[in-house]
Structures are given as C-alpha cells and as structure tokens.
Amino acid sequence: MQVKLINYTPNPEDAIIKAAANCWQSTPRDEILDLIIKAGHLTPLEFATFNFEVSGVSRALTHQLVRKRVGVGFAQESQRYVKYNENGFEYVTPPRIQNCDKSILYIDKTAHQIYQQAMFIIQVAYEQLVDIGIPAEDARFVLPNACCSKIHVTINYHALFDLAKERLCDKAQWEIRELVAGMKKEVQEISTTLAGYLQPKCYWLQRCPEKRSCGKVGFLCEK
Amino acid sequence: MQVKLINYTPNPEDAIIKAAANCWQSTPRDEILDLIIKAGHLTPLEFATFNFEVSGVSRALTHQLVRKRVGVGFAQESQRYVKYNENGFEYVTPPRIQNCDKSILYIDKTAHQIYQQAMFIIQVAYEQLVDIGIPAEDARFVLPNACCSKIHVTINYHALFDLAKERLCDKAQWEIRELVAGMKKEVQEISTTLAGYLQPKCYWLQRCPEKRSCGKVGFLCEK
Amino acid sequence: MQVKLINYTPNPEDAIIKAAANCWQSTPRDEILDLIIKAGHLTPLEFATFNFEVSGVSRALTHQLVRKRVGVGFAQESQRYVKYNENGFEYVTPPRIQNCDKSILYIDKTAHQIYQQAMFIIQVAYEQLVDIGIPAEDARFVLPNACCSKIHVTINYHALFDLAKERLCDKAQWEIRELVAGMKKEVQEISTTLAGYLQPKCYWLQRCPEKRSCGKVGFLCEK
Amino acid sequence: MQVKLINYTPNPEDAIIKAAANCWQSTPRDEILDLIIKAGHLTPLEFATFNFEVSGVSRALTHQLVRKRVGVGFAQESQRYVKYNENGFEYVTPPRIQNCDKSILYIDKTAHQIYQQAMFIIQVAYEQLVDIGIPAEDARFVLPNACCSKIHVTINYHALFDLAKERLCDKAQWEIRELVAGMKKEVQEISTTLAGYLQPKCYWLQRCPEKRSCGKVGFLCEK
C-alpha cells in the first residue's frame, strides 16, 4: 500500500483557525483549534483539505472507503475502461493468509498457496474472456476483491477527523486501518498538531462502544 | 436481479407539492410538480423517499452504486461478517458472457464455460481458506466482483431523479441501468407521474453530452 | 410556534430494523435498534424519514436551522416572492423580552414596549417602500430577524438523532431547542421508542463538552 | 461587499487533472479538464478547494447562501455571541432603494430616507434592549435582514461550478449574483481557465429554463 499526500490547503492549521475566529470575531490564535475540537464545534475543520494518491489497496477496501459520503471525493481507476495488460492484475494478500502456518488434512497446501493458485487461475480466465472478445467491463466480473486499485481521495479535515474515529479503531478492517494510519503519517509531515487529533473514537469517548472491545480503551494512536 | 419497493412516503406526489407550495405560499395543486421540475427548482423533490430491497446484483454494481453520496443511504450485506454457507456464493453472469457464441482456437471452451469454471474454483478456494481457519473478512479477498450482494437503498426522489439521468443512459453499465429501470418500474406502481420524470439526461438536455452517443438522443425510457 | 408531522415513512422502526438486519443477514427483531444506536452504527437510521410543517418561527431560527446540510431538506416561504399583506408581518417575541420587568432611567418603557414599537415602525417602513414601488425582494431588507417564517423540513432519523444531540442541549438557542422538542413530541405520537433516543449529547457522552455547563449532565429530555 | 480568496489548493487545475487522469490511467494533460466538464464527469472537480473571506453582505444573502449543502462549509459571525458596539451595526442598502427617485404623495421622503430612518430606529431599539439587560441573542431579533455579516466560505470547484450555474443567472437575487461574480473574479486571478467555466446555467443548456427569461440565453458572464 502506498499513501501519498500530493496536495493540500497551505498552512492548514491557520486556515482552520482563521475560519473559527470569524464566528466570534476573535483574534486568530493557536488555542482556538483545541477549543473547537474539544467543544465539538467542528465545521471550521472543513477549511483545510487534503488530496491523497493511494495505490496498492484492494477493491475490498475501496468498496468500503467510498461509502463515506460527506466531506470527501474520490477518483478511482475504472475496471470498465482500464484493461489489465499481459502482466496481469496485481493483488493484495492479507497478512493472515500470507503468514498462516496451519494446514488441513485433505489438501497438502498452505493458505498462501491456495490463495496464489486462485489468483493465477482468475488471471488466466480474465485473459481468455478478453481474448474471446468479452468487453473489459464484463470480463472484470471474474476479478477478485483482492485486485489492486488506484484511488485519489480528497478529504477535508473534518471528514478525516471522523474517518480516524471509526477506522483507527482496532476493530476496523486491517487494510482500511492501515490506510488511515498512512494518511495520518502523511499529515504528520506537515502538521504534528493536526495529526495528533486523528484518534480512534474511544480516545474521545473514554470508553469503548464496540460489542467486543480490544481492551485498550482510550489508547493513543501514535503513528 | 430483484428490486422491490418495500416502504415509501405515503402520497409522495402530494408530499412534494405541499412542500413546493410553501415556498410561494400558493395553493398546492398538481401542476406545481411539472413547474418545479422544468424550472430546475428540485429541493421539494426531497420530501418523498423510497426504500428499496435489492438482491441478486453483483458487487461490481454495488461498488459503483454506493459512490452516490447525496440523498441516499445504504445497508449492505457484509462480507466481513456473513460467511457463505456450504451451498457457496451466488453470482451474476453478464449476458454478453452467457450468450457469447464465439470461440478461440487454443481452448475448446465457450466464454460461459470459462466463467463457470472460474467461479467453481474460486468457491473451492474460499471454502478451503475458511476451513483452514482464515476469517471470512480475509477469505473474501478471493471472491469475485460477480458475487451476489443484498443491499437496501433509501433514496429521496431528488436523488432518484438525478440517478435516472445518469444511469438510464444507454452508455451506463448494463447492470446498474437494469437496477434503475427496476426502481422506475416499482415507482410506476404507485405513481405513474413520478415514474414518468425518471429519464436519461439526454431527455432533459435534448442533446447527448457523451463522447460516443448511442444515437437515440432524447429518447423516452418507457419501462 | 407550530410543529406538525405531516408525513413519514410508515412503520419507521420496522423500516430501520429491516435495513440493519440486512447487513448481517440476521432476522429483523426489535433489539437491533438499540444495538446499532449504542454501537454507533447509524446508517440504517436513514431508512425512516419525517416531514414537518413548521410555522410561527423567526428567521433567526431558520437561518440557523438551514445550516444543517446532511440528511435534511427544506422548503421555506420566500421573502423574495411573498409580499406581506395589509395585516403586516407576524413576528416572534423572545420570552426574555416579553417577561422582562427591568427598566432603565432614561426611557420610560419596558423592553417589550421598545420591541413592539420597533416592530411597528419596521412594518410602516416596509409598507411605504412597497408603496413607492420597491420590489419585495429589496423592501424585505428592513424586515427583522423576528419576522415569522413558514418552513417545511424533511429529515431522516439519523439526521434528527444528530440534531437532537446538539439542539436539545440546554446551551442551544431557546427557539431552536423548542423546535426540536416539538419535533420530538410529534415523533412520540407515532413511536415512543424512536422519540426516546432523541436526547442531548451529554446523555450519550455522560459528560458535558460545553465551555460553561448547565450542570445537568446526562439529563433525560422527557418531553 | 468584499470578497477575498484567502487560501486554496495550489495548482488547482493540475490537482483536478491528476485526479481525473487516474480514472482512466491516462497521462494528465490540459485537455482533460475540458473533456470532463463537457461530459458532465464532474467529481474530479472536487480536488480543488477555495477559501473565501466575505464581508459587507446582508444576512438576507447569507440565509440564502448557507442553503447550499454539498461541497461547501461556512463559518459565520454569530449574532448570538457578537454584540454590536457603540458604532452600531453596518447595513447593506439595495441599489434600487439607494437610487430610487420616485416619491409618493402622503409622505415627503425618498425610499432611501425611509430606509435610513428605519435603520436608525432599529439601532436605537437594539441598544436600548441591550442596555436593559436583554442578551445579545434575543436583542438581535430586532435587527434587519440588511444587517452586515462576515462569513468565511470553503467551497470545492465542483460546488462553485454548480453555484455559478444558479447564481450568475440574471434572475438570481442581485446581491448573491454579485457575490458569485466576486468569487469568479478572485478565481480569475489564479486560473483564467477555471474562472472561464463559471457560467450561468443557460450557457450550458443553450436555453433558459426560467419562467420569465432575461432574454440573453447562453450569454457569457465575462467578469
């Protein structure tokens, strides 16, 4: 997975603080950011926007990601128009498949071998369908969730703050958690303050609302 | 594909007309609906909402559908939590694969046979991964775009009107066009007037903005 | 202020539960509503929508209300098109002005008298401007925030749930708090369960995030 | 009215083109912008965002402006918290009131004189209410629509494109048309290309959907 911040509102903290200060006609100053976040007065956070270039993620992830509807925009590589070339499609392998050391009696294969073989057969079927003349938009029906996608994401800081609450949670799907952690890391490069507020929901609630807790209530997500 | 309207704002036309009449403090009357749609004053259309139960659609379709962000809500069967039982997953077969009669030299199989075989092998791989102990949320990485999904959609008439403009277009992907045509058919049962305005964009523009036109500019989508 | 529920998704609880049950392919049952609200899995709440007819509210209130952007639609009486007739405009009087018993030396008038007189003079000026031939859309520049407005509101239960968190708070502006309490009362008539979850944010947080607390942390809003 | 662009996505054209190119995995190049706008494939336009500082506008305008719900965020001077000082509130005078030379028999005053007098009396009433001890959030009920407001607006180019379609129209309210023309002028300073696409809806439709047309169908808004 590659997550790269390729464009953003210059001086994002400043952009947010200026907007917030306008509400009370007060002087823009650094403490305002902390005040509004703690008070839940989050609209000014929308005055800073970040554009990310994301690649090497599965379409399982993107299907979940594009469910976010507010404060966010997507531009995703289309499987209708883009035909995979002779090198075939790339795919994501979940760590629990890659590192699984269990085996079962009736087949003499690791989870990873089963997985790789399935990917190979899918690739062959996709190519045969395209060769027969099936359009890419139909041939892609055989392609797996694992298939890599490239997606550009524009997200304002209010939406990113909300996304972090849900997706930095230990119960979130591993791949999307890794994506949001990657976004946080990129934001860190330009503002440690803004990155610092990107935390799972239990950090703000000081309790875990999940049915089965991970047991680390209120943990700080460092990276 | 099954598309079923399971709940909606009672008297949807009336709900829209009452809201629109409030803007000018005029008497609610039937012509208002036509007036506001022709004038592009579309907010009152949000006062009627429709809940659809959709099944037998591919996850290729749902990935595209959930991209719609405004005036719409989704509740989709989760592949993280739902494990496919011993009967395996169901899948959609694109008509151009099902009905393809072309063949190529090096393999003695129709497109449909290649497709069915790929689905079978994927199913076996999925089951083996689950048997080894891989969690459903990771095993699903092998599942294809073709995999059937069940999704509930709530959409207000403004959003449905916009969806029809894009997706009843002949250039839209066949499966999503079929879905929106199915929604239109269901709306038809309760209001022929509201169904009548669900038309592709060329009907409203009286020209085709697509790069390659289907040649039927301004056609009425009957069903 | 009059708040009237004039249309809604029939069996709203049921509509929400059906949608939620689809996510896990579980049997729809009553406990699901409580489970998803406590877990913060709120999207299914969008499957129930309510249409309210609101009148006798100030434009101070409506300016604030229409700031809500998600899950909500408005159709408001237009001051550009609607000319106030010879009876003049109606207006809201804040209770703290109506009931103020203080006086100040230099004028022998109560707050209420000052207020009424200002309204009368504004009414006369508005009429004179219209008589001279100034269009309603410009004459309205003299009209006060107090001026009554009629507004239709369509809001899904997810958005209403969020609105209650902010606006049932004791620190919210009195008029908008009264409006949301009025909406709650109307919902109560059709579902005590759904009305029961409409609570200020401190009820869910079990603490007050406001700078100056009202001191009633976690109070249940009964009406 | 002052409209000032105070922050924006650097190289906004480039940001949009990069996002759009990702969809088809094509090389980012200038023509893409024109292609996607003409084809109505507008999501990539969301990758450029503009922050405006707006002052000297009426609350009649802001009430209308904040109705826009998608792709936009606002931070407005609060009349609940901000008390107008001894110099009183500032206000907007509509040109048709300022320049009106008509008179009517029964009063020996121009429209402008009536207007100014009403503003003066409102100012006095507001001050008296505050002096008596009425809180600003209630005293403001006497303040007029004309009252000046300061508002910060963050808007992505997709939303600005849509706003221009509605509000650069000759039938839009004069003040909001002036605001959007002011935004366009500011965008012009950093990208003549992006400014060039900000046009009224008749430019794109090549016809006027309004009930009473201004007669200039398809006109280019130059400034």
Side-chain angles (χ1 to χ4, degrees):
Chain A
M1 180 188 301
Q2 292 81 42
V3 183
K4 211 171 128 192
L5 179 60
I6 56 172
N7 215 332
Y8 56 93
T9 316
N11 307 314
E13 279 177 63
D14 190 51
I16 292 168
I17 290 167
K18 258 190 209 150
N22 186 58
C23 300
W24 301 277
Q25 295 295 301
S26 60
T27 312
R29 53 187 209 288
D30 287 357
E31 309 86 89
I32 287 180
L33 186 59
D34 199 61
L35 280 171
I36 60 173
I37 286 179
K38 299 261 164 81
H41 176 56
L42 303 181
T43 311
L45 305 185
E46 297 166 23
F47 283 75
T49 303
F50 301 92
N51 293 358
F52 295 98
E53 181 185 84
V54 177
S55 59
V57 293
S58 76
R59 285 179 67 93
L61 177 144
T62 60
H63 195 322
Q64 206 171 354
L65 179 65
V66 300
R67 287 293 302 271
K68 184 129 188 65
R69 291 165 295 176
V70 180
V72 75
F74 304 102
Q76 184 173 7
E77 175 189 15
S78 166
Q79 287 188 329
R80 286 186 70 195
Y81 299 117
V82 177
K83 220 175 269 186
Y84 294 100
N85 66 7
E86 53 214 24
N87 300 317
F89 61 86
E90 291 177 55
Y91 58 88
V92 172
T93 305
R96 280 180 297 206
I97 287 179
Q98 186 138 27
N99 309 321
C100 178
D101 52 7
K102 276 180 256 167
S103 65
I104 41 172
L105 275 185
Y106 66 90
I107 43 161
D108 188 27
K109 277 181 206 152
T110 64
H112 196 197
Q113 284 170 327
I114 294 166
Y115 191 77
Q116 281 177 309
Q117 202 169 55
M119 293 300 146
F120 178 76
I121 289 167
I122 291 170
Q123 174 64 34
V124 170
Y126 178 77
E127 272 168 36
Q128 290 176 342
L129 290 170
V130 169
D131 281 354
I132 285 181
I134 301 297
E137 80 165 31
D138 283 347
R140 70 169 166 150
F141 272 64
V142 298
L143 295 177
N145 286 330
C147 201
C148 277
S149 187
K150 289 175 183 151
I151 188 164
H152 285 224
V153 182
T154 181
I155 186 163
N156 69 42
Y157 184 68
H158 186 176
L160 185 56
F161 179 83
D162 285 347
L163 191 67
K165 285 205 279 192
E166 288 314 315
R167 304 301 192 180
L168 289 180
C169 170
D170 239 44
K171 308 296 283 186
Q173 191 235 354
W174 64 269
E175 198 186 8
I176 207 164
R177 195 173 63 235
E178 203 177 298
L179 169 68
V180 179
M183 289 174 162
K184 177 172 176 166
K185 215 174 147 187
E186 286 288 292
V187 171
Q188 181 92 27
E189 298 294 311
I190 58 160
S191 164
T192 51
T193 307
L194 292 182
Y197 292 113
L198 300 177
Q199 298 292 346
K201 56 181 176 292
C202 64
Y203 175 80
W204 301 104
L205 291 171
Q206 289 301 313
R207 61 182 179 83
C208 174
E210 292 290 323
K211 240 170 119 183
R212 288 191 206 81
S213 175
C214 71
K216 295 180 290 183
V217 172
F219 77 103
L220 262 166
C221 176
E222 294 294 349
K223 69 158 185 180
Chain B
M1 180 188 303
Q2 291 81 42
V3 183
K4 211 171 128 191
L5 180 60
I6 55 172
N7 215 332
Y8 57 93
T9 315
N11 308 313
E13 279 176 63
D14 190 50
I16 292 168
I17 290 167
K18 258 189 209 151
N22 186 57
C23 300
W24 301 277
Q25 295 295 302
S26 60
T27 313
R29 52 187 212 287
D30 287 358
E31 309 88 88
I32 286 180
L33 186 59
D34 199 61
L35 280 171
I36 60 173
I37 286 180
K38 299 262 163 80
H41 176 56
L42 303 181
T43 311
L45 305 185
E46 297 166 23
F47 283 75
T49 302
F50 301 92
N51 293 358
F52 295 98
E53 182 185 83
V54 177
S55 59
V57 293
S58 76
R59 285 180 67 93
L61 177 145
T62 60
H63 196 321
Q64 207 171 355
L65 179 65
V66 300
R67 287 292 303 269
K68 184 130 187 63
R69 291 166 294 177
V70 180
V72 75
F74 304 102
Q76 183 173 8
E77 175 188 15
S78 166
Q79 287 189 330
R80 286 185 71 195
Y81 299 118
V82 177
K83 220 176 268 186
Y84 294 101
N85 67 8
E86 53 213 24
N87 300 317
F89 62 86
E90 291 177 56
Y91 59 88
V92 172
T93 305
R96 280 181 295 207
I97 287 179
Q98 185 138 27
N99 308 323
C100 179
D101 51 8
K102 275 181 256 166
S103 65
I104 41 172
L105 275 185
Y106 66 90
I107 43 162
D108 187 28
K109 278 183 206 149
T110 65
H112 197 196
Q113 284 169 326
I114 294 166
Y115 191 77
Q116 281 177 309
Q117 202 169 53
M119 292 300 146
F120 178 76
I121 289 167
I122 292 169
Q123 174 63 34
V124 170
Y126 177 78
E127 272 168 36
Q128 290 176 341
L129 290 170
V130 169
D131 281 355
I132 285 181
I134 301 296
E137 79 165 31
D138 284 346
R140 70 169 166 149
F141 273 65
V142 298
L143 295 178
N145 286 330
C147 202
C148 278
S149 187
K150 290 176 182 151
I151 189 164
H152 284 225
V153 183
T154 181
I155 186 164
N156 69 42
Y157 184 67
H158 186 176
L160 185 56
F161 180 83
D162 286 346
L163 191 67
K165 285 206 278 191
E166 287 313 315
R167 304 300 193 179
L168 289 180
C169 169
D170 239 45
K171 308 295 284 186
Q173 190 234 354
W174 64 269
E175 198 186 9
I176 207 164
R177 195 173 62 235
E178 203 176 297
L179 169 67
V180 178
M183 289 174 163
K184 177 172 176 167
K185 214 173 148 188
E186 286 288 292
V187 171
Q188 181 92 26
E189 299 294 311
I190 57 160
S191 164
T192 51
T193 307
L194 291 182
Y197 291 112
L198 300 176
Q199 298 292 348
K201 56 180 175 292
C202 64
Y203 175 80
W204 301 105
L205 291 171
Q206 289 300 315
R207 60 181 181 83
C208 174
E210 292 290 323
K211 239 171 120 181
R212 289 190 205 81
S213 175
C214 71
K216 295 179 291 183
V217 172
F219 79 103
L220 263 167
C221 175
E222 295 294 349
K223 71 159 183 177
Chain C
M1 179 189 302
Q2 291 82 41
V3 183
K4 213 172 126 190
L5 180 60
I6 56 173
N7 214 332
Y8 56 92
T9 315
N11 308 313
E13 278 177 64
D14 189 51
I16 292 167
I17 290 167
K18 256 190 213 151
N22 187 58
C23 299
W24 303 277
Q25 295 295 303
S26 60
T27 313
R29 54 188 209 286
D30 287 358
E31 309 88 87
I32 287 181
L33 186 59
D34 200 62
L35 279 172
I36 60 173
I37 287 180
K38 300 260 164 81
H41 176 57
L42 303 180
T43 311
L45 305 184
E46 297 167 23
F47 283 76
T49 303
F50 302 91
N51 293 0
F52 294 98
E53 182 185 83
V54 177
S55 60
V57 294
S58 76
R59 285 180 66 92
L61 177 144
T62 60
H63 196 320
Q64 207 170 354
L65 180 65
V66 300
R67 287 293 302 270
K68 184 131 188 64
R69 291 166 295 178
V70 180
V72 76
F74 304 102
Q76 184 172 8
E77 175 188 14
S78 165
Q79 287 188 330
R80 288 185 70 194
Y81 299 117
V82 177
K83 221 176 266 186
Y84 294 101
N85 68 6
E86 52 214 23
N87 300 317
F89 62 85
E90 290 177 58
Y91 59 88
V92 172
T93 306
R96 281 180 296 208
I97 287 180
Q98 187 138 25
N99 307 323
C100 178
D101 53 6
K102 276 180 254 166
S103 66
I104 42 171
L105 275 184
Y106 66 91
I107 43 160
D108 188 26
K109 278 180 204 148
T110 64
H112 197 196
Q113 284 169 327
I114 295 166
Y115 191 78
Q116 282 178 308
Q117 204 170 54
M119 293 299 147
F120 178 77
I121 290 167
I122 291 169
Q123 174 64 34
V124 170
Y126 177 77
E127 272 168 35
Q128 290 176 343
L129 290 170
V130 169
D131 281 356
I132 285 180
I134 301 297
E137 78 163 33
D138 284 346
R140 70 169 166 150
F141 272 65
V142 299
L143 295 177
N145 285 331
C147 203
C148 278
S149 187
K150 289 175 184 150
I151 189 165
H152 285 224
V153 182
T154 181
I155 186 164
N156 69 42
Y157 184 68
H158 185 177
L160 185 56
F161 180 83
D162 286 347
L163 191 67
K165 286 204 280 191
E166 286 315 312
R167 306 299 193 179
L168 289 180
C169 168
D170 239 45
K171 308 296 283 186
Q173 191 235 353
W174 64 270
E175 199 187 8
I176 207 165
R177 196 172 61 234
E178 205 176 297
L179 168 67
V180 179
M183 289 174 162
K184 177 174 176 167
K185 215 172 146 189
E186 286 287 292
V187 171
Q188 181 92 28
E189 298 294 311
I190 57 160
S191 164
T192 52
T193 307
L194 291 181
Y197 291 113
L198 301 176
Q199 297 293 348
K201 57 181 175 293
C202 64
Y203 174 80
W204 301 105
L205 291 172
Q206 289 300 315
R207 60 182 181 84
C208 175
E210 293 290 322
K211 237 172 121 183
R212 289 190 206 81
S213 175
C214 71
K216 295 179 292 182
V217 172
F219 78 103
L220 262 166
C221 176
E222 294 295 349
K223 72 159 184 180
Chain D
M1 179 189 301
Q2 291 81 42
V3 184
K4 212 171 126 191
L5 180 60
I6 56 172
N7 214 332
Y8 56 92
T9 315
N11 309 313
E13 279 176 63
D14 190 50
I16 292 168
I17 290 168
K18 257 190 212 152
N22 186 57
C23 299
W24 301 277
Q25 295 296 302
S26 60
T27 313
R29 53 188 208 285
D30 287 358
E31 309 88 86
I32 287 181
L33 186 59
D34 200 62
L35 280 172
I36 60 173
I37 287 179
K38 299 260 164 82
H41 176 56
L42 303 180
T43 312
L45 304 184
E46 297 167 23
F47 283 75
T49 303
F50 301 92
N51 292 0
F52 295 98
E53 182 184 83
V54 177
S55 60
V57 294
S58 76
R59 285 180 67 92
L61 176 144
T62 60
H63 196 321
Q64 207 171 354
L65 179 65
V66 301
R67 287 293 302 271
K68 184 132 188 64
R69 292 166 294 178
V70 179
V72 76
F74 303 102
Q76 185 173 8
E77 176 188 14
S78 165
Q79 287 188 330
R80 287 185 72 194
Y81 300 117
V82 177
K83 222 175 266 184
Y84 294 100
N85 67 7
E86 52 215 22
N87 300 317
F89 61 85
E90 291 177 57
Y91 58 88
V92 172
T93 305
R96 280 181 296 206
I97 288 180
Q98 187 138 25
N99 308 322
C100 178
D101 53 6
K102 276 180 253 166
S103 66
I104 43 172
L105 275 184
Y106 65 91
I107 43 160
D108 189 26
K109 278 180 204 151
T110 65
H112 197 197
Q113 284 169 327
I114 294 166
Y115 191 77
Q116 283 177 308
Q117 204 169 54
M119 293 300 146
F120 178 75
I121 289 167
I122 292 169
Q123 174 63 34
V124 170
Y126 177 78
E127 272 168 34
Q128 290 176 343
L129 290 171
V130 169
D131 281 355
I132 284 180
I134 300 297
E137 78 164 32
D138 283 346
R140 70 169 166 150
F141 272 64
V142 298
L143 295 177
N145 285 331
C147 203
C148 278
S149 187
K150 289 175 184 151
I151 189 166
H152 285 225
V153 182
T154 182
I155 186 165
N156 69 42
Y157 184 68
H158 186 177
L160 185 56
F161 180 83
D162 286 346
L163 191 67
K165 286 204 279 192
E166 287 314 313
R167 304 300 193 180
L168 288 180
C169 169
D170 239 45
K171 308 296 284 185
Q173 190 235 355
W174 64 269
E175 199 186 7
I176 207 165
R177 195 172 62 233
E178 204 176 297
L179 168 68
V180 179
M183 289 174 162
K184 177 174 175 166
K185 215 173 146 187
E186 287 287 291
V187 172
Q188 181 92 29
E189 298 294 311
I190 57 160
S191 165
T192 52
T193 306
L194 291 182
Y197 291 112
L198 301 176
Q199 298 293 347
K201 56 181 175 292
C202 65
Y203 174 80
W204 301 105
L205 290 172
Q206 289 300 315
R207 62 183 180 81
C208 175
E210 292 290 322
K211 238 171 120 183
R212 289 191 205 79
S213 175
C214 72
K216 294 179 291 183
V217 172
F219 78 102
L220 262 167
C221 175
E222 295 294 350
K223 72 158 181 176

